[in-house]
Amino acid sequence: MASVDDSREVAGAAGPLDLLLTQAAQGTVRRLSPGKPGLKFLGGLARRPDRVAARARSLAGQLAQIAVGTSDVAPSKRDRRFADPAWTENPLLRRLVQAYLATGETALGLLHDVPLEWKDAERVRFAGTNLVDALAPSNNPLISPVAWKALIDTAGANLVRGPRNLVRDLASPPRVPTMVDPDAYEVGRDLAVTPGSVVLRTPVFELIQYRPTTETVRTVPVLVVPPTINKFYVLDLAPGRSLVEHLVGQGQQVFMVSWRNPDARHREWGFDTYATAILDALDAVEEISGEDATHLMGTCSGGILASMTAAVLAAKGRQDRLASLSLLVTVLDQTRAGLLGATMDPDTAAQSVAASRRAGYLDGRRLAEVFAWLRPNDLIWNYWVNNYLQGKRPPKFDILSWNSDTTRMTAQLHADFVDMALGNKLTRPGSVTLLGTEVDLSQVTVDSYVLAGSADHICPWQSCYRSSQLLGGKMRFVLSTNGHIAALVNPPGNPKSSYRVTDDNSAPVEEWTDTARTEKGSWWPDYSAWLGERSGPDKPTPDELGSARFRVREDAPGSYVRDK
């Protein structure tokens, strides 16, 4: 079975969740349809017949060259859809691919010929791109050489296995091709295996303290707040691919929040519930470590919650409890946040909130479907060919195993996120109230470390950068040359990795890349060093985990992470 390139971007439920949540309430057809923006686009084309005619003449000329074999149109070497040699060596298949590429380029070119408001343009472009991708000849079982070779190699078994896989995947959400063998990994055996113990369990979360592996530890500990959709272990994925393991190996004391997988009984848990949980975790970390300040790290939706909780501490004069704030692939400012921002409107938001109110929660499997259609070639059609045309089991890939391990989100937390995003309220001090306190992110003046991915299609790096400008204090902004999840799972040793960094986020986002310096390798060592500079002197490693009040309950990764 072919190996999977770890550098490939995959969907993970760890994005600007407040925008994605609105899309989960819609059916697939409606979500992929351009709707009213599509009608605006068609009207715009009708008013520009000269552009349509010019595109048509150009396409006709290309098709004529293709027919006589003089065209140099060819798929990109990075386009894995046409990697099989038959696509280029067989003259009929080569012409078919060339005609598809030329027609697709013409269709997508028309999308740029009609000026639309940015939201409408994003939706039309999304629908058009998905349609072009779906019509690729590589997806057609009657044409694909991969399918015909599988027919010969398996003596026709793929004709049985493929439809069986399709029926199974359509039977229950998310109704997309299975991306990973469900039996390939086990949490606690293959994933989330960094040694540690659960030292606190509440109805909302478990707190994991990881066991130090060095003779001394840094004085100031780190508390990690993971996303509220999917499990925490994307940060503790597997040995050699775990940020937690890396930090512990550098002498950092690390604590991790593991959220409970809620159900309808917990429908009323909202922002206040989760902020209270973060404060409860901070209390425990302070007592166990014996320190008055903690590094607070949040990822994605967890970063939003961590930021707002930090603002509450600042407003109450207790910001001294924080040694720093770290935000990984977190969007606080939703201004022009790509396709996801474009597809959000009051009607869609109201429908989404009403749907989760009825159930008591939002099912993470619905979000998994939304994520998949954001990158259909990688996350839909790639597995369409593998699972259905070839009849194969999907490859083993730890990130995709984590991605499929979805959780639910309570109805109230869903409503709170959507309401906050709909008005982009975190950009306006006082527009959001948390624990009875108005949130003003500019009051957070501790040093901050903000990470974004240059190829992130879920949390655009420009949005992460603008978000960093909402905070006060000294800022280190790091742009990793990776996508959304690869930016997090980015261990040292990958020769392709690099990042750009500055300690100044005052420049406009358009000018930032001109001022940033480029560093080779993973950002993990940079982050560990940054924490070390703010963690005080080293001290002897504690003999035991927990404390008299917060006793060890069970080994990591705990019980909540295993809840389905």
Side-chain angles (χ1 to χ4, degrees):
M1 185 173 293
S3 62
V4 178
D5 181 1
D6 286 0
S7 67
R8 183 181 59 198
E9 176 56 22
V10 298
L17 199 56
D18 35 356
L19 294 176
L20 286 166
L21 294 176
T22 62
Q23 300 306 302
Q26 301 183 52
T28 303
V29 173
R30 181 178 176 185
R31 189 164 55 245
L32 297 178
S33 169
K36 292 181 180 178
L39 296 178
K40 293 180 183 178
F41 167 72
L42 293 176
L45 277 184
R47 292 190 295 272
R48 291 169 175 78
D50 55 328
R51 294 299 305 155
V52 177
R55 294 279 184 186
R57 285 194 299 271
S58 176
L59 176 60
Q62 291 187 70
L63 292 178
Q65 291 181 327
I66 291 169
V68 299
T70 60
S71 173
D72 59 359
V73 173
S76 166
K77 293 181 179 179
R78 300 178 61 184
D79 191 339
R80 291 171 295 148
R81 297 175 299 174
F82 307 112
D84 191 285
W87 288 116
T88 53
E89 295 175 1
N90 182 291
L92 291 178
L93 291 179
R94 183 177 65 251
R95 285 171 170 79
L96 183 62
V97 171
Q98 290 177 322
Y100 164 73
L101 294 174
T103 304
E105 182 181 4
T106 298
L108 296 179
L110 286 171
L111 301 181
H112 296 280
D113 291 341
V114 179
L116 295 172
E117 195 270 337
W118 80 273
K119 283 191 174 185
D120 293 337
E122 287 285 348
R123 294 190 66 169
V124 170
R125 190 174 300 117
F126 175 66
T129 301
N130 269 275
L131 178 60
V132 170
D133 290 343
L135 294 175
S138 55
N139 300 330
N140 190 319
L142 300 179
I143 298 174
S144 170
V146 172
W148 284 102
K149 289 176 181 178
L151 177 68
I152 297 171
D153 292 343
T154 66
N158 65 316
L159 298 180
V160 176
R161 297 171 188 159
R164 184 175 60 199
N165 291 341
L166 176 62
V167 171
R168 180 198 62 206
D169 289 342
L170 293 178
S172 61
R175 291 178 174 85
V176 296
T178 298
M179 302 176 197
V180 67
D181 185 344
D183 300 321
Y185 298 95
E186 180 181 337
V187 173
R189 183 194 68 191
D190 310 294
L191 308 174
V193 296
T194 301
S197 298
V198 174
V199 293
L200 171 63
R201 178 179 294 121
T202 77
V204 182
F205 74 100
E206 290 177 335
L207 181 65
I208 299 170
Q209 180 185 10
Y210 291 96
R211 184 173 299 281
T213 59
T214 51
E215 293 184 359
T216 60
V217 294
R218 295 171 178 174
T219 298
V220 179
V222 174
L223 172 63
V224 184
V225 182
T228 48
I229 287 282
N230 281 87
K231 308 295 177 63
F232 75 84
Y233 61 88
V234 70
L235 299 172
D236 183 28
L237 198 60
R241 289 165 57 75
S242 165
L243 177 59
V244 168
E245 177 191 55
H246 177 80
L247 293 177
V248 169
Q250 299 300 307
Q252 196 73 53
Q253 298 182 77
V254 181
F255 294 78
M256 174 75 72
V257 169
S258 175
W259 298 116
R260 182 176 192 166
N261 189 1
D263 55 42
R265 296 171 298 171
H266 312 119
R267 63 176 65 237
E268 299 303 326
W269 292 359
F271 276 169
D272 285 354
T273 304
Y274 284 85
T276 299
I278 294 173
L279 294 175
D280 289 344
L282 273 176
D283 290 340
V285 171
E286 289 170 358
E287 179 168 322
I288 293 170
S289 67
E291 300 301 322
D292 296 330
T294 301
H295 297 294
L296 184 61
M297 178 209 296
T299 61
C300 306
S301 60
I304 296 172
L305 293 168
S307 300
M308 294 193 298
T309 304
V312 169
L313 289 173
K316 293 183 176 181
R318 292 308 317 275
Q319 190 171 196
D320 58 328
R321 298 183 65 183
L322 301 181
S324 72
L325 175 66
S326 301
L327 301 178
L328 312 184
V329 290
T330 298
V331 172
L332 306 174
D333 183 352
Q334 310 292 355
T335 303
R336 292 203 172 196
L339 170 69
L340 302 175
T343 54
M344 189 170 187
D345 57 69
D347 290 342
T348 303
Q351 293 171 17
S352 180
V353 169
S356 64
R357 289 284 189 201
R358 289 191 296 271
Y361 59 83
L362 178 71
D363 194 334
R365 294 175 299 177
R366 300 289 298 275
L367 276 174
E369 183 181 345
V370 175
F371 276 107
W373 282 107
L374 292 177
R375 291 294 293 269
N377 279 336
D378 284 340
L379 300 172
I380 300 291
W381 304 118
N382 175 53
Y383 294 98
W384 170 277
V385 173
N386 183 84
N387 299 7
Y388 308 149
L389 273 59
Q390 294 179 286
K392 291 182 177 181
R393 296 170 73 88
K396 226 182 141 176
F397 193 17
D398 50 11
I399 290 179
L400 286 176
S401 182
W402 164 83
N403 183 64
S404 66
D405 193 6
T406 59
T407 64
R408 294 171 288 275
M409 173 178 280
T410 68
Q412 186 57 54
L413 184 63
H414 177 205
D416 287 346
F417 269 126
V418 170
D419 177 70
M420 180 190 69
L422 197 60
N424 203 10
K425 291 184 177 181
L426 287 180
T427 63
R428 304 197 310 273
S431 296
V432 176
T433 299
L434 183 68
L435 298 174
T437 301
E438 293 184 349
V439 171
D440 181 355
L441 294 177
S442 67
Q443 293 185 13
V444 180
T445 56
V446 295
D447 290 353
S448 298
Y449 191 102
V450 177
L451 172 82
S454 62
D456 192 339
H457 67 290
I458 297 171
C459 293
W461 77 264
Q462 296 90 341
S463 296
C464 294
Y465 182 79
R466 282 192 292 265
S467 296
S468 75
Q469 294 177 320
L470 298 177
L471 302 170
K474 188 177 179 182
M475 178 73 56
R476 186 172 182 84
F477 185 80
V478 174
L479 180 61
S480 178
T481 52
N482 299 99
H484 188 65
I485 301 303
L488 299 177
V489 186
N490 186 220
N494 184 350
K496 297 180 180 179
S497 289
S498 65
Y499 61 94
R500 308 187 75 174
V501 58
T502 62
D503 290 308
D504 180 9
N505 68 336
S506 61
V509 66
E510 298 81 9
E511 301 175 8
W512 182 82
T513 54
D514 296 331
T515 63
R517 67 181 186 275
T518 300
E519 302 286 349
K520 293 293 185 180
S522 165
W523 61 272
W524 285 9
D526 179 78
Y527 181 53
S528 178
W530 185 88
L531 287 174
E533 294 170 359
R534 293 158 178 79
S535 294
D538 290 357
K539 66 180 184 181
T541 298
D543 295 329
E544 302 291 339
L545 300 184
S547 66
R549 179 183 171 197
F550 298 102
R551 298 178 181 273
V552 169
R553 291 175 172 267
E554 64 175 300
D555 290 339
S559 298
Y560 283 175
V561 73
R562 293 184 169 94
D563 289 347
K564 298 297 184 180

